[in-house]
C-alpha cells in the first residue's frame, strides 16, 4: 500500500498493522500509535512529533531523517532499522531496543534513553546520546592539607 506524503496527524492507529507500507514523508504528528506494527516499512522523512508510539514495532524499517521529537516511544523496537539523521530530541526512549540499528547522525538532545539497548548499533556522529542509567564516573579529589587534623580536634 502507498500512502506516501499523507497527512495522518492526530490519527488513531493503535494496534494497526502497517507492515511493508510506503509511508515516506507521512505526517503522524500527535497520532496515537501504541502497539502499531510497522515492520519493514518505508518511512524516511516521516514526522512522529509528539506521537504516542509506546510499544511500536519498527524492526527493519527505513526511517532516515524521521522526526520523533517529543514523542513517547517507550518500549519501542527498532532492531535493524535505518535511522540515519533522525531526530529524537526530547523523546521518551526508555526501554527501547536499537540493536543493530543505524543511528549515525541522529540527534538525541533532551531524550531519555534509560534502559535502552544500543548493542552493535552504528552511533557515529550521534548527538547527545547518553546512558542516564549509568552514573558518571566519580572524580578523584585529593583532600586539601587544611582538612587533616591528624587525630586532634
Amino acid at each position: 500500500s502507498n500512502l506516501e506524503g499523507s497527512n495522518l496527524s492526530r490519527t488513531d492507529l493503535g494496534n494497526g498493522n502497517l507492515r511493508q507500507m510506503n509511508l515516506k514523508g507521512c505526517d503522524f504528528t500527535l497520532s496515537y500509535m501504541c502497539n502499531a506494527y510497522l515492520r519493514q516499512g518505508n518511512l524516511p522523512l516521516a514526522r512522529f512529533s509528539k506521537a504516542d508510539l509506546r510499544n511500536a514495532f519498527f524492526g527493519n524499517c527505513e526511517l532516515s531523517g524521521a522526526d520523533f521529537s517529543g514523542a513517547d516511544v517507550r518500549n519501542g523496537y527498532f532492531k535493524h532499522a535505518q535511522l540515519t539523521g533522525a531526530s529524537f530530541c526530547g523523546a521518551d526512549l526508555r526501554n527501547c531496543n536499537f540493536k543493530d540499528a543505524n543511528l549515525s547522525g541522529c540527534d538525541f538532545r533532551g531524550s531519555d534513553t534509560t534502559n535502552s539497548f544500543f548493542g552493535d548499533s552504528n552511533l557515529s556522529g550521534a548527538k547527545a546520546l547518553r546512558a542516564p542509567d549509568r552514573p558518571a564516573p566519580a572524580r578523584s579529589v585529593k583532600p586539601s592539607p587544611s582538612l587533616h587534623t591528624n587525630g586532634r580536634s
Side-chain angles (χ1 to χ4, degrees), residues 81-92:
Q82 297 299 315
L83 291 146
T84 303
S87 174
F88 292 98
C89 292
D92 189 344

Side-chain angles (χ1 to χ4, degrees), residues 76-97:
Y77 186 88
F78 293 91
K79 189 173 178 183
H80 297 291
Q82 297 299 315
L83 291 146
T84 303
S87 174
F88 292 98
C89 292
D92 189 344
L93 301 171
R94 289 177 286 171
N95 304 306
C96 285
N97 184 344

Side-chain angles (χ1 to χ4, degrees), residues 6-20:
S6 296
N7 182 357
L8 300 169
S9 62
R10 299 179 187 270
T11 303
D12 184 346
L13 297 168
N15 297 305
N17 185 350
L18 304 170
R19 183 175 192 237
Q20 296 180 325

Side-chain angles (χ1 to χ4, degrees), residues 24 26 28 62 64 84 97 115 129 133 143:
K24 179 180 181 179
C26 284
F28 296 99
E62 169 55 59
S64 295
T84 303
N97 184 344
N115 296 323
L129 182 61
D133 55 325

Side-chain angles (χ1 to χ4, degrees), residues 85-131:
S87 174
F88 292 98
C89 292
D92 189 344
L93 301 171
R94 289 177 286 171
N95 304 306
C96 285
N97 184 344
F98 290 100
K99 181 172 175 42
D100 293 313
N102 184 350
L103 298 161
S104 61
C106 286
D107 192 346
F108 289 94
R109 286 180 290 182
S111 66
D112 185 350
T113 58
T114 303
N115 296 323
S116 287
F117 183 69
F118 294 90
D120 299 319
S121 292
N122 178 356
L123 295 164
S124 64
K127 297 180 189 92
L129 182 61
R130 60 184 177 80

Side-chain angles (χ1 to χ4, degrees), residues 127-145:
K127 297 180 189 92
L129 182 61
R130 60 184 177 80
D133 55 325
R134 295 184 192 147
R139 293 187 310 178
S140 175
V141 178
K142 293 182 180 178
S144 80

